[in-house]
Amino acid sequence: MKNFNLMKQEKNTIKTKIQIKKSTFVLTVLSFIILNFFLAFFINVDSIKNKVESEYFFTADFHKNVTDEEKEKLEIEILKLEGVKQVRYISKEEAFQKLQYQLDVAIPKAENPLSDSLVVFFDKPINIEGIQVKLENNENIKEVFVDGEYINYKERQLKFYKILSLSLLLVCILPVLALIYYIFYSAISIDYINNVGVIKDDEVNKARAKSVNLLPFTSASIIGTLIFFNIYIYFRNHLLLVSNGYLLLSLKEIIFIQLGIIFIINFLIWLKPIKIGVFKWVEDGK
């Protein structure tokens, strides 16, 4: 009868261990799905932030009768200035066509009052003064147009996306990373405790407790990531059906970044020695 009870107790212990393993695996998979969601959100926000940064610009109108050679020379000079990202030449015909489209009216070409111009894209508003002075001192430039209200609007936009990116990192991504580490940490602790009386060498027990959890952890990270990618594709396709105006990156644009981050997490987990506080507690017999 005693042996039967011991066998039953041993069977229950094994079932409990298996259940803990399953629960840990599922929790790790879910954690990586959530982590990938926040990473994708962060990457998309960062992409929008970069797009906003690339939209700072002002225009400079040429005087009439400026030769094409002089225009090209000035364009090259401006491109060499600090803070200038891109310079685009717009003919008065192209500008006139855009104006008609915006106003939704037809105006005879002979009445075109516009001039050939340069659109100068720059990095930061702090760079605008030097670029503007350079252009205003050039004899081929008639006038420089700087839309201060537009630039201020872009500055507010940029500040918002920077705050959002930082918030995602501090409030969402880092806590989920901490949760993933805690789940892995707990799994090792449980394996160590279960083998304290079985494996006499404490260092061997510690090494074994970590090694038996590494492959399940990596498998869970891969499965969680693949599940997320499928959810992302499904969600993005349905969102684009509603409107093409949503700025949501394609899977090709995020996949390598996210896989790289998942690889780094696994790389650190495999290499980093884990010291668990419960070790001392068990060894002292307290």
Side-chain angles (χ1 to χ4, degrees), residues 58-62 71 74-75 78 87-90 115-120 135 141:
F58 64 87
T59 59
D61 286 352
F62 285 107
K71 292 174 184 177
L74 179 59
E75 188 174 341
I78 295 170
V87 179
R88 186 181 170 217
Y89 170 75
I90 298 180
S115 306
D116 296 334
S117 60
L118 290 177
V119 179
V120 181
L135 286 168
I141 295 297

Side-chain angles (χ1 to χ4, degrees), residues 258-271:
Q258 296 200 211
L259 287 177
I261 293 171
I262 300 304
F263 172 79
I264 291 170
I265 292 170
N266 278 276
F267 181 76
L268 294 175
I269 285 291
W270 278 72
L271 290 185

Side-chain angles (χ1 to χ4, degrees), residues 52-63:
V52 171
E53 284 182 320
S54 68
E55 291 175 343
Y56 287 117
F57 75 92
F58 64 87
T59 59
D61 286 352
F62 285 107
H63 284 295

Side-chain angles (χ1 to χ4, degrees), residues 2-57:
K2 186 177 180 181
N3 289 336
F4 176 77
N5 289 335
L6 287 173
M7 288 175 63
K8 187 176 180 180
Q9 185 177 358
E10 181 66 21
K11 186 177 179 181
N12 289 335
T13 302
I14 293 171
K15 286 178 67 177
T16 302
K17 289 180 181 179
I18 293 172
Q19 187 61 43
I20 291 172
K21 289 285 185 184
K22 287 181 178 179
S23 300
T24 301
F25 186 81
V26 171
L27 283 173
T28 306
V29 170
L30 291 174
S31 298
F32 271 98
I33 292 173
I34 296 169
L35 175 64
N36 276 284
F37 172 79
F38 288 134
L39 287 175
F41 194 11
F42 180 86
I43 294 168
N44 274 277
V45 169
D46 191 63
S47 174
I48 297 172
K49 179 172 68 69
N50 292 336
K51 185 176 183 296
V52 171
E53 284 182 320
S54 68
E55 291 175 343
Y56 287 117
F57 75 92

Side-chain angles (χ1 to χ4, degrees), residues 73 83 102 112 145 159 189 196 212 215 232 252 270 272:
K73 183 180 178 181
Q102 290 172 354
N112 184 357
F145 296 94
K159 185 177 180 181
S189 301
V196 165
V212 297
L215 283 178
Y232 185 84
K252 290 181 180 179
W270 278 72
K272 184 181 182 300

Side-chain angles (χ1 to χ4, degrees), residues 53-244:
E53 284 182 320
S54 68
E55 291 175 343
Y56 287 117
F57 75 92
F58 64 87
T59 59
D61 286 352
F62 285 107
H63 284 295
K64 291 181 179 179
N65 303 321
V66 178
T67 65
D68 290 340
E69 185 180 347
E70 289 174 322
K71 292 174 184 177
E72 288 178 11
K73 183 180 178 181
L74 179 59
E75 188 174 341
I76 293 170
E77 288 177 3
I78 295 170
L79 276 170
K80 293 178 180 178
L81 295 177
E82 183 181 357
V84 175
K85 296 179 68 175
Q86 182 185 354
V87 179
R88 186 181 170 217
Y89 170 75
I90 298 180
S91 67
K92 64 180 182 179
E93 290 79 18
E94 182 183 349
F96 189 60
Q97 188 177 3
K98 286 183 178 180
L99 178 64
Q100 290 184 92
Y101 177 78
Q102 290 172 354
L103 298 176
D104 196 22
V105 294
I107 307 172
K109 289 184 178 180
E111 298 179 16
N112 184 357
L114 304 177
S115 306
D116 296 334
S117 60
L118 290 177
V119 179
V120 181
F121 295 89
F122 55 96
D123 284 323
K124 299 174 183 177
I126 195 172
N127 297 321
I128 193 172
E129 187 176 348
I131 305 168
Q132 187 178 356
V133 169
K134 176 71 175 179
L135 286 168
E136 288 176 340
N137 290 336
N138 190 288
E139 60 183 12
N140 294 319
I141 295 297
K142 179 174 68 176
E143 194 170 3
V144 176
F145 296 94
V146 180
D147 190 340
E149 187 176 340
Y150 173 81
I151 292 174
N152 289 334
Y153 169 70
K154 286 298 175 183
E155 278 286 273
R156 291 194 299 271
Q157 263 193 320
L158 187 60
K159 185 177 180 181
F160 168 76
Y161 288 118
K162 284 181 177 179
I163 293 171
L164 184 57
S165 295
L166 185 61
S167 299
L168 280 169
L169 181 63
L170 297 178
V171 179
C172 300
I173 295 174
L174 292 181
V176 175
L177 286 173
L179 175 63
I180 289 171
Y181 181 79
Y182 176 76
I183 294 170
F184 184 66
Y185 176 97
S186 300
I188 294 175
S189 301
I190 293 169
D191 269 315
Y192 176 84
I193 292 170
N194 288 336
N195 290 283
V196 165
V198 179
I199 301 174
K200 303 301 181 183
D201 190 322
D202 188 62
E203 292 303 318
V204 172
N205 192 10
K206 290 178 183 179
R208 179 200 168 280
K210 180 181 178 180
S211 64
V212 297
N213 285 283
L214 286 173
L215 283 178
F217 177 85
T218 299
S219 300
S221 69
I222 294 171
I223 291 170
T225 302
L226 293 177
I227 290 173
F228 166 77
F229 285 152
N230 282 278
I231 295 172
Y232 185 84
I233 293 169
Y234 177 84
F235 177 74
R236 183 177 184 272
N237 289 340
H238 279 72
L239 195 62
L240 292 177
L241 288 175
V242 176
S243 173
N244 288 326

